[in-house]
Amino acid sequence: MNLSVIGAGYVGLVAAACFAEMGHDVICVDNDAEKIKALQAGKIPIHEEFLEEIVKKQHRVHLDFSTSILQAVRESDAVFIAVGTPPSENGEADLSYVEAVSREIARAIKLYPERYRVIVEKSTVPVDTNQSIRRVLLREGVAPECFDVASNPEFLREGTAVHDFLYPDRIVIGCDCSAAEATLRAIYRPLTDNVQGIWGAARLLVTSTKSAELIKHASNAFLAMKISFINAIADLCEKVGANVTEVSEGIGADSRIGCLFLNPGIGYGGSCFPKDVKALRAVAHSCGYEFGLLDEVMKINDARVKKFVDKVRSYLWNLPGKRIAVLGLAFKGGTDDTRDSQAIAIIQQLIHKGCKVIGYDPAAMPKLQAVNFPIEYAANAYEAAANADAVLVLTEWKEFETLDLDRLRAAINKPIPVVIDGRNLFNPVVMEAKGFEYASIGR
Ligand code: NAD
Ligand code: UGA
């Protein structure tokens, strides 16, 4: 099928590349001309496993890039909106990018009304946004029989985005009419019907458009709740002398609960959980329901940064002048994304308290250097750790789990090297045996 994806960010670019890989002809549009120029030149603006390979393979075969929504919509059976929906000051999702794109799509359909098109919400939006998009198109004069608006929320995670897209736990399509459902079913057939014998048979759930919108917000809020829950349990473990790793394993072994997303640490970050919990809270408030459970989820998460900084202080005594090595700057492992990273929030507090911070991250440094984020950057974890008063582990990168601990100890170059692990990546028994003074979360 002919598809366009509007927005070439973490979701749009991955979706466009994967749709192309599935055999569709895709135009990926962004209004950031520099980004489109870079993509046309074969440069991938984000760090995401397998993305570069797929984009290179599909570019000018099934995938093209453009700054023109008009050109893209003209040739498309379905138009996916994948622009940002950041939080506004009162916590509601800011839908101005979605509205701007909807208006441009409307103009394009008016100019080329000859085929039926489905406008698909891929961005995470509050329930009932489909009606607002529909209204924009109708008010711009698009004939109702020319289009439908459907919801197809995206559940990929950064760092494993391509895999998540092509091997999803479920595909949710929210449609209020059979024509839109048929189009979306056809688009996802390669993933649901194992057509090419590659992608298995993903479960496809068809719901109303409103339910699909709500499924997305509720899923993110539920996952955030799991993380806050285990973080609260971790705090309790520290108080009573229990071990949160054991507790988490014991809870997660119950198949009704599940073991994933029960890793305690410095809290959830990123461009989605924080904003989506707030947005769902705002949706509930606007409906007259005060969703206090979500307030608590956010409260627990917000307190993680200060708690961790307090922990650092309890090990180092006075903070001013201390040399702190930070391993991990991204909001999670596997990505260069530092939006709402808890690591960045912790570093900002440490700098504010007079520490000197030397950071290392396998992927996130170029973007931080480009905005002059004021730390010293090291070429690797050992260089960062050199002569540090404490090494902090703030992102769950796989490569940190396999650090050479003897080399790390030698780099720190102190009789008793201090490591404070905000992600519980290391085994306390091993760390002690290697001569570290080691602290982690809830153990
Ligand atoms: P992003 O900021 O990485 O990308 C958004 C892109 O849209 C940018 O490149 C921007 O230039 C472009 N854009 C904005 N206005 C435009 C316009 N008028 N015309 C064309 N392009 C325009 O954002 P993202 O992380 O990809 O998230 C996009 C949406 O997907 C959000 O609603 C987010 O909540 C949701 N989502 C994100 C993830 C994730 O892991 N990042 C996962 C699932 C869902
Ligand atoms: C999350 C969801 O997992 C995706 O399903 C969803 O599509 C996406 O948000 C979105 O809507 O944008 P993502 O933010 O990429 O994906 O990353 P996660 O793996 O969910 O991690 C989010 C944060 O929680 C990270 O800071 C991570 O370190 C933290 N986390 C995660 C924990 O602290 N403990 C855990 O057990 C899991």
Side-chain angles (χ1 to χ4, degrees):
M1 299 187 74
N2 292 306
L3 310 180
S4 44
V5 179
I6 317 297
Y10 284 87
V11 165
L13 184 56
V14 170
C18 291
F19 282 142
E21 185 74 0
M22 286 153 64
H24 302 300
D25 287 321
V26 187
I27 302 180
C28 184
V29 179
D30 205 287
N31 63 354
D32 179 340
E34 288 296 309
K35 193 181 266 193
I36 291 300
K37 212 166 126 196
L39 283 163
Q40 280 163 339
K43 292 195 194 96
I44 310 301
I46 56 174
H47 176 93
E48 195 58 67
E49 198 176 21
F50 307 127
L51 185 60
E52 185 165 359
E53 291 88 328
I54 298 188
V55 171
K56 288 210 162 123
K57 182 175 152 204
Q58 296 298 343
H59 190 197
R60 300 203 176 90
V61 181
H62 287 303
L63 177 62
D64 252 310
F65 299 103
S66 170
T67 51
S68 166
I69 289 184
L70 197 72
Q71 177 214 344
V73 171
R74 176 185 181 172
E75 289 162 29
S76 296
D77 303 303
V79 183
F80 288 79
I81 301 176
V83 296
T85 49
S88 50
E89 255 171 31
N90 62 2
E92 282 175 15
D94 171 358
L95 297 174
S96 54
Y97 301 98
V98 175
E99 181 179 349
V101 166
S102 306
R103 238 171 257 293
E104 283 195 63
I105 294 171
R107 286 182 204 127
I109 298 181
K110 260 176 73 182
L111 274 177
Y112 305 107
E114 55 283 348
R115 65 167 112 177
Y116 166 81
R117 294 174 178 92
V118 185
I119 316 304
V120 191
E121 301 167 337
K122 196 59 144 164
S123 298
T124 301
V125 292
V127 60
D128 218 19
T129 300
N130 70 89
Q131 282 305 327
S132 306
I133 296 175
R134 188 173 176 78
R135 243 190 333 264
V136 165
L137 269 86
L138 293 174
R139 281 191 190 149
E140 289 285 333
V142 180
E145 64 277 11
C146 284
F147 78 99
D148 279 303
V149 181
S151 165
N152 171 222
E154 183 49 60
F155 301 102
L156 64 76
R157 294 160 297 174
E158 292 181 26
T160 51
V162 169
H163 181 273
D164 292 345
F165 194 96
L166 293 173
Y167 300 91
D169 287 342
R170 82 297 208 188
I171 295 162
V172 173
I173 57 178
C175 314
D176 298 325
C177 68
S178 55
E181 181 184 333
T183 302
L184 280 159
R185 276 186 183 278
I187 290 169
Y188 281 106
R189 191 152 294 130
L191 301 188
T192 54
D193 291 14
N194 200 12
V195 184
Q196 300 170 36
I198 319 169
W199 289 304
R203 180 168 178 207
L204 185 110
L205 295 169
V206 182
T207 69
S208 71
T209 315
K210 285 185 192 179
S211 296
E213 291 166 332
L214 201 49
I215 285 168
K216 175 62 196 177
H217 263 160
S219 299
N220 273 5
F222 193 88
L223 291 168
M225 181 183 74
K226 265 186 115 172
I227 297 169
S228 279
F229 184 86
I230 201 65
N231 280 331
I233 294 290
D235 287 350
L236 201 52
C237 285
E238 287 188 11
K239 292 207 187 304
V240 302
N243 181 331
V244 73
T245 307
E246 293 170 358
V247 176
S248 174
E249 197 181 341
I251 303 171
D254 184 329
S255 60
R256 292 170 303 173
I257 298 173
C259 60
L260 301 178
F261 277 69
L262 284 179
N263 298 324
I266 55 175
Y268 60 78
S271 67
C272 292
F273 282 177
K275 88 163 162 63
D276 290 343
V277 177
K278 274 190 209 134
L280 181 57
R281 176 69 181 87
V283 166
H285 175 74
S286 71
C287 301
Y289 172 56
E290 299 308 331
F291 207 149
L293 176 62
L294 297 183
D295 289 333
E296 198 57 28
V297 168
M298 292 188 273
K299 199 169 126 201
I300 292 170
N301 200 60
D302 290 346
R304 299 314 284 169
V305 168
K306 181 174 181 306
K307 267 185 204 287
F308 190 79
V309 173
D310 285 347
K311 192 181 280 249
V312 175
R313 192 167 36 200
S314 75
Y315 276 80
L316 297 188
W317 195 8
N318 296 300
L319 289 178
K322 294 282 158 61
R323 187 178 171 87
I324 309 282
V326 168
L327 306 188
L329 306 167
F331 82 97
K332 63 176 284 195
T335 178
D336 59 350
D337 196 349
T338 55
R339 292 178 289 180
D340 260 319
S341 167
Q342 296 286 86
I344 299 294
I346 288 168
I347 291 169
Q348 280 165 336
Q349 290 219 3
L350 291 172
I351 292 174
H352 182 69
K353 289 178 190 304
C355 297
K356 179 174 175 54
V357 175
I358 303 92
Y360 169 70
D361 187 284
M365 293 196 295
K367 282 190 177 159
L368 289 171
Q369 284 165 313
V371 296
N372 293 322
F373 183 63
I375 58 169
E376 204 175 286
Y377 295 89
N380 56 52
Y382 308 105
E383 192 181 300
N387 305 311
D389 292 300
V391 173
L392 312 184
V393 182
L394 299 187
T395 306
E396 65 276 48
W397 276 97
K398 280 261 172 283
E399 79 166 61
F400 296 155
E401 285 174 39
T402 53
L403 285 177
D404 177 340
L405 295 176
D406 294 323
R407 195 174 156 199
L408 186 69
R409 194 185 160 167
I412 298 173
N413 192 26
K414 298 259 186 319
I416 302 181
V418 176
V419 173
I420 307 176
D421 182 354
R423 298 295 191 168
N424 287 2
L425 290 193
F426 299 113
N427 181 330
V429 178
V430 173
M431 292 302 278
E432 201 176 313
K434 290 278 181 189
F436 290 94
E437 186 168 359
Y438 175 72
S440 56
I441 308 286
R443 309 188 288 182

